[in-house]
Amino acid sequence: MPDSPLAQKTCTPCEGGTPALPEDAARQMMVQLDGWTLSDDRRSILKRFEFKGFAKPVELANLAAWLGNKQGHHPDIRFGWGYCEVSFTTHAAGGLTENDFICAARLDALLA
């Protein structure tokens, strides 16, 4: 969903005391994303990208890191031969905030 309204937004700085989204709000935001999954504890979202070889996963990891720096909201990234997993959570909130969904949508838009 590269046309997601979320992809047009920019992250806002989070500080301690920022509340995490309630579960129902997080589930409603999930429908705006394509291919992302909500963790069992509902504190993060994750997408696994699969490729042939090693160069593409490295490139995606670098792109996700660049986006995180640009938005001031940094993902957890795992990659290896044939895959790259990107996960967003808001550590300051102890769960998900709108920033996580914005970054996921922006990453998808960059890949569209």
Side-chain angles (χ1 to χ4, degrees):
M1 295 183 193
D3 298 352
S4 169
L6 286 171
Q8 305 305 314
K9 293 185 173 188
T10 300
C11 290
T12 57
C14 291
E15 300 191 8
T18 299
L21 290 171
E23 181 181 348
D24 59 333
R27 290 194 184 281
Q28 288 174 355
M29 294 192 86
M30 285 298 296
V31 301
Q32 297 180 61
L33 300 176
D34 187 31
W36 291 83
T37 58
L38 186 62
S39 66
D40 290 340
D41 64 5
R42 296 167 309 283
R43 296 177 71 163
S44 64
I45 55 175
L46 174 105
K47 188 169 185 178
R48 181 180 175 98
F49 300 86
E50 297 194 5
F51 305 95
K52 291 185 180 184
F54 188 69
K56 293 284 185 193
V58 171
E59 291 170 4
L60 178 54
N62 286 329
L63 181 63
W66 172 84
L67 175 65
N69 277 334
K70 187 167 177 67
Q71 291 295 311
H73 193 73
H74 305 97
D76 292 323
I77 304 166
R78 289 185 35 194
F79 67 96
W81 194 97
Y83 78 95
C84 181
E85 294 177 345
V86 180
S87 176
F88 287 102
T89 188
T90 302
H91 299 285
L96 291 165
T97 64
E98 184 181 40
N99 286 345
D100 301 301
F101 295 93
I102 290 169
C103 284
R106 289 179 74 96
L107 181 60
D108 284 346
L110 287 170
L111 296 171

